[in-house]
Structure formats: C-alpha cells, structure tokens
Amino acid sequence: MTQIKIFDTTLRDGEQSPGVNLNQLEKLEIAKQLERLNVDVMEAGFPASSQGDFNAVEKIAQTITKSTVTALARANKNDIDQAWEAIKEAKKPRIHVFIATSPIHMKDKLKKTPEEVIDIAVEMVKYAKEKCSDVEWSAEDASRSDLPFLATIIEKVIAAGATVVNLPDTVGYTTPKEYGEMFKYVKENVPNINQVDLSTHCHDDLGMAVANTIAGIQNGATQVEGTINGIGERAGNVALEELAVGLEIRKDFYPFKTQLVLKEIKRTSDMISKLTGMIVPGNKAVVGRNAFAHESGIHQDGVLKNTQTYEIITPELVGVQSNNLVLGKHSGRHAFKDRITQLGFTLSEEKISEAFKSFKQLTDRKKEVTDDDLFVLLMDIQTDVSHRKQYQLHSFQVHYDSAHSPTATVTLETPSQKIVTGEKSGAGSVEALYHTIESLIEEKVQLTDFTLSSIGKGKDALAEVHVHLNVNEQSVSGRGTAQDVLEAATHAFLNAVNRIFIKKKVD
Ligand code: KIV
Ligand code: ZN
C-alpha cells in the first residue's frame, strides 16, 4: 500500500466559496479539528490577501503541532514574505508558491512569455527556499498547459529547491484519462521528479474531481489536495472524505492508503458545514444525512437480514453515532464536562460555566440533549466573539394570524449603545422581522439566501438558520440556533450583520 498524503485546503480554497467568511476563532476551531482528523498538511490561508487572513494563519501556525501548516503566496516577494511571517512559528511550516503555466493564463492574465514565467517561478522558489526548507510549487491551470513546457518548468523549480510539485486542474476541465496521462508524462520526462512529492489538486466543475484525483495517484502522485465537504470556488474542490473513504472501502482494488482518522470525518464535516453555512445535501456521499438511510422496503428487508446486502460503508466508520443521547435535565456539571472532553472541545473554566448555563436552559425546554445539540451549543460558545460594538437583540414579538400580514416588533441595542424599537410588517413572519431589523440598523442590507434546518429529530429539535446577506456591499454569512424558528432566524440575521464589526475586532 502506498501512503498518500492529505493536504487540506478547506481554510484557503474552501474559504474562497462565495459568501463564506470565517472569523479567526472559527478558522482556529476548524484547524484543530483538521488536526484531529490527522491531515498531513493544512493550508491555513493566503496571508497577503488581507490582515484578517494573515492573523488567522499566524494563530493556526502557533497552535497546530502535528500537521504541516502552509500558506499560499503568488510568485512575488511580498506574498512570500507575508506567507513566511505568518507561518514561521509553526512546528512544520511550508510556503506554497504558485504561478500559472497554461498558454491562456500566461498570455491573457499574466501577460508574460513562457520564458518569463520560468524565470519568475525559479527565482521565487529560490527566494521562498531561503526562508523555509519546505516549499511547494503549483503550476496553476496545469491541466491546460503544454506538457513539454510543464516538464521544463518543473525540472527547474525542483532544481531551485521545491519539495512538492502540485499540478492543479484549476478549472475542473480535465478527465481521468487525461489527468492521469499528465502525471505519467511528468514522471517519465522530468529527470529529477523523484526528489519531490507530486500532488493533485482537482476542482469539480464537471463532477469528475474524485475520479481525476484517483487517476493522478495511480500515475505517481503521492499527495492529494482537497477540502472537506468539497467546498471551494464555483463547484468546489475534491471532497477529501469521499476520496479517503473510497480508498478505504475499495482497498481490495486500490493499493493506496491515507492516515486520516476516518471516525473524525462526520464531526469535521458537521463543523465545517455549520461554520461556513454551506449545507451538506442529504444525498451527499459519505457525509450526507441520507448516506446511511435505507428507505425502500426491499432495502430495509435486506439490511435487516444482513447489513452488507445494501450497506457498503458503516456509519460508525465515519463517526456517525446511531445512539447519541447523552445528557438531560439531571446531568451535573461533572458529566457535562466529561462529555465536552469526549466531543473534543477544550474550553476554559469560564467558557465551561457559560456552556453549562446554556445547557441547563436548554434542558428546561428539551428533555433529551443529544451530541448534536451539544456540538452546536459548544461551537457557538467557542467561536463567540461578541463584544459591545455590535447590534444585540433585546426582545422581539411577532403577531401572526391567517387573515392579516404578520407584524414584528423588535428592540435592539445598537453599537453606540442606544436602545431602539421598531415595528414593520411583511408577507411572512421572517420577512416582517427582517424588515423591522433593517429599519433599526444603519447598515445597508440585502438578504440573498436563507436556509432553515433542524438539529436532530423530534418536535423539540433545535432550529438552525443560515443566511447570506450583502451588508454595506460586502457579502457575509450568518447563523443562528434556537428552539424557535423565528428566534433562530433573528439571530442569524444579526450574526451576519455583526460579522462586519467582529471582523474589524478579531481579524
Ligand atoms: O486551483 C488552483 O489552481 C489553486 C492553486 C492556487 C493551487 O487553488
Ligand atoms: Zn484550487
């Protein structure tokens, strides 16, 4: 079995998904979970892109000890300086430098000749290498590049000190055969290729990212880059959980393994879905809600007789628990603290007290508190960056009857600590609430997306709302959880608006 290294770019390429904007604490929680999942490398961000990204990468580099932490840089000195400054305290730092190599990118985007691109790539790999012994070089749009040109530039960047060479299918255009042949060509035509790890990086525009990635490793790649839940630009990146579970389940066929801790997959997927607001479709392979549900009578009958008739992946393999009822009204602080640790959270005593208070409030209204409920509650507390300079909800009421338009009354505290109250109506209760909030805040807001889902099952399940807004022409997402749907919707809206302020403070 050949060991394939997993390079997770959820926090960089994944964060480039439209409307996703994680704050520093959220990124840190994801990084810690990626380390529990045991990824070999995590790309923490693109420090030169913003001060917020720089700070988050720096914090992750200072915290993570097992995985390599890398940061992206364009092929220029400033980007490389910023990347190095952000990751230099990591136990295992790596600088990731990229430049485009396809004719269309070189001519129309970079406005450079192929010779100039070679010179820049070599110079910048050398520059990065002076700072960091581990340097990855990516040929952006490699899958649409000229193969002999690719072989020439790869040989030169390896001679300049690159330790990893990554060949992305940047626009998700390639096919498994074509992508595999590119790796084969590079293996056969670059004399010093065995000095480096060769890496895949597939986007999913044509739905072929997993197949393309596998074709890459069948032809010599020893690292794969992707994201959890396949989030990323446009149609996203290859979903790492699909690849890792595919290799595990078909190990009779594929001679490759990864070192991912597969039972951490579900929790990682849930965390990323919750914090990014990118909901995982029910039928998504490996982590979708229905991935292990058997609906038809014939399937249910078969599974009852022998689970393997229709079940090729057990829920336990990826950490889906069948019975995760844990705590209730009479559970004490000790049991609560134990459960927090088992769920993988490390909270300060102050945050544990805050979480225990919220848990007790929840048990007043909900008899059975599941791991899913606790996860949401703890995640909210762990990533809460609330401070005085933001909008805070004091109270709200909605008047609804089937004969009239609903009317909402909302009282808020503004960032300048004024208490304001307003009343507006709308076609539905949520619209009435949102109209009212909009009338009370100074920000210019436009709602672009709204999703409502339940955490777990049952009539008393918690409601979770994700929204995407344009606030002062910046796209932001927000989330809110509560037992009541309207309360969750209100929190989600204010959470999105407040992210503008939170970003200013935490980033
Ligand atoms: O898709 C791509 O080409 C990338 C590179 C920047 C590595 O994300
Ligand atoms: Zn990419």
Side-chain angles (χ1 to χ4, degrees), residues 9 12-14 16 43 72 96 140 166 168-171 201-203 225 227 232-234 236-237:
T9 181
R12 199 278 299 169
D13 227 348
Q16 283 173 222
E43 186 160 54
L72 187 69
H96 180 188
E140 191 189 16
N166 177 38
D169 179 29
T170 303
V171 291
H201 180 113
C202 295
H203 282 266
E225 302 191 0
T227 60
E233 289 264 17
R234 309 179 312 276
N237 292 58

Side-chain angles (χ1 to χ4, degrees), residues 129-157:
K129 189 77 178 185
E130 284 166 15
K131 298 171 187 292
C132 184
S133 62
D134 193 0
V135 176
E136 173 164 334
W137 177 77
S138 285
E140 191 189 16
D141 209 14
S143 57
R144 294 193 297 169
S145 302
D146 173 60
L147 287 178
F149 174 69
L150 209 50
T152 306
I153 191 167
I154 291 173
E155 185 182 347
K156 295 198 166 164
V157 295

Side-chain angles (χ1 to χ4, degrees), residues 191-306:
N192 52 3
I193 197 70
N194 290 333
Q195 295 175 16
V196 295
D197 266 317
L198 249 187
S199 179
T200 65
H201 180 113
C202 295
H203 282 266
D204 206 27
D205 298 64
L206 297 176
M208 291 195 269
V210 174
N212 290 339
T213 302
I214 290 178
I217 60 180
Q218 283 175 317
N219 286 281
T222 45
Q223 173 181 283
V224 301
E225 302 191 0
T227 60
I228 299 299
N229 299 339
I231 65 170
E233 289 264 17
R234 309 179 312 276
N237 292 58
V238 71
L240 288 174
E241 69 282 3
E242 292 182 15
L243 180 86
V245 171
L247 294 182
E248 166 65 23
I249 297 296
R250 295 309 313 272
K251 55 179 178 259
D252 59 315
F253 187 78
Y254 292 123
F256 308 110
K257 62 176 185 188
T258 72
Q259 59 158 23
L260 285 195
V261 177
L262 300 182
K263 66 176 175 31
E264 289 292 338
I265 283 181
K266 185 67 169 86
R267 175 156 350 129
T268 316
S269 163
D270 286 349
M271 179 188 283
I272 285 159
S273 164
K274 178 173 174 51
L275 295 182
T276 58
M278 297 201 63
I279 313 278
V280 174
N283 66 337
K284 157 93 172 57
V286 178
V287 288
R289 200 179 48 249
N290 300 339
F292 306 100
H294 300 280
E295 186 69 26
S296 84
I298 295 173
H299 285 205
Q300 285 175 351
D301 180 55
V303 168
L304 286 173
K305 288 175 176 148
N306 176 352

Side-chain angles (χ1 to χ4, degrees), residues 107-122:
K107 181 166 169 283
D108 294 340
K109 186 182 83 173
L110 300 176
K111 309 218 181 292
K112 302 265 180 240
T113 65
E115 292 67 35
E116 285 172 326
V117 168
I118 293 180
D119 288 348
I120 296 169
V122 167

Side-chain angles (χ1 to χ4, degrees), residues 12 19 29 41 75 95 99 133 162 178 255 271 299 317 367 379 384 391 413 437 446 455 462 493 501:
R12 199 278 299 169
E29 278 312 302
V41 186
I95 299 178
I99 191 161
S133 62
E178 216 173 45
M271 179 188 283
H299 285 205
L317 180 77
K367 229 169 80 199
M379 190 53 66
D384 180 28
Y391 292 100
E413 183 175 336
I437 298 172
Q446 188 198 359
I455 309 286
L462 294 180
F493 193 91
F501 298 98

